[in-house]
Amino acid sequence: MLREDSRLRKKIPTITRPDPAYAATLQQGDREIPGKEDEAQVTATKTGTPSADVDADRHEAERAPDGTVAPHQVTAESSDPHTSLRAPVSARALSPTRKIDIRVNALERQEAALQTCGVEPAHVVRAALRRAVKGWQLSPVFVPVAEERRTRNTQWQARTSLAVDAASLSVLLRDHDPLDVLSKWALIRGQVEPRIWSEIDKILEEIAVRAASPHEPHT
């Protein structure tokens, strides 16, 4: 009986050379994914990099600790054009302003020149207003309204809203209209009107010079 049992037992073969099937099972245990060698070969073919270098980069990226950047990798923050090219925002705050409705007439002494200058008088007055307030800043020092005689022709009147410094206006209100019963235009009128009348005179002079020498260029 013992002989028959020994004969029936199969002899376990001894492995004397590498077994491809056994080696494949070992690769699965080492977390090697089938097809990775083919994937590395395709990547190397597309980029022109040897497959050995591609594998080395992949293993290096897998072993890289948190917070580090593996070779041939770019962080999203550095590759974002909006992040890398964004200019710093200025922190300078603008001074608060307050809008005031203004109404400006030309002077009686300017009527004749306005009527004969060849340009619509209303356009001249509006142009003078734009020039007068460009770069102008309201002063907290009150200026009385000028006693010049203004034209009665309301068609030449320039009307607009003017933004003035709120702090300077508050000083004028405190010193000259503490009850806030006057119009705000009355508080700044003495500063604005003389500037506009001066610009009207300058524009009328420029028109007269051009009319006298129409063929000569002027700067």
Side-chain angles (χ1 to χ4, degrees), residues 94-113:
L94 297 176
S95 300
T97 59
R98 183 170 176 178
K99 286 187 177 181
I100 297 178
D101 293 333
I102 65 175
R103 301 177 302 277
V104 180
N105 287 347
L107 297 175
E108 281 189 355
R109 63 172 179 83
Q110 296 171 333
E111 287 183 356

Side-chain angles (χ1 to χ4, degrees), residues 75-97:
T75 61
E77 182 178 2
S78 62
S79 62
D80 185 5
H82 299 289
T83 302
S84 59
L85 301 179
R86 186 179 294 117
V89 179
S90 174
R92 184 178 61 88
L94 297 176
S95 300
T97 59

Side-chain angles (χ1 to χ4, degrees), residues 116-171:
T116 60
C117 69
V119 179
E120 181 66 31
H123 295 334
V124 176
V125 177
R126 284 194 290 267
L129 172 61
R130 289 194 300 269
R131 291 188 184 185
V133 300
K134 184 177 181 180
W136 169 76
Q137 294 293 332
L138 177 65
S139 172
V141 179
F142 178 75
V143 177
V145 177
E147 296 181 357
E148 295 275 0
R149 294 180 63 89
R150 297 153 181 83
T151 180
R152 296 182 181 180
N153 193 335
T154 57
Q155 293 180 354
W156 299 354
Q157 188 179 76
R159 306 183 64 175
T160 186
S161 295
L162 183 62
V164 300
D165 181 63
S168 298
L169 182 62
S170 297
V171 174

Side-chain angles (χ1 to χ4, degrees), residues 53-54 56-65 68-74:
D53 295 341
V54 174
D57 292 344
R58 183 178 66 250
H59 294 312
E60 182 68 22
E62 293 175 356
R63 292 196 300 269
T68 60
V69 180
H72 309 296
Q73 287 185 343
V74 181

Side-chain angles (χ1 to χ4, degrees), residues 15 17-30 34:
I15 300 175
R17 56 184 177 180
D19 188 353
Y22 182 73
T25 60
L26 292 179
Q27 292 178 357
Q28 291 291 342
D30 291 340

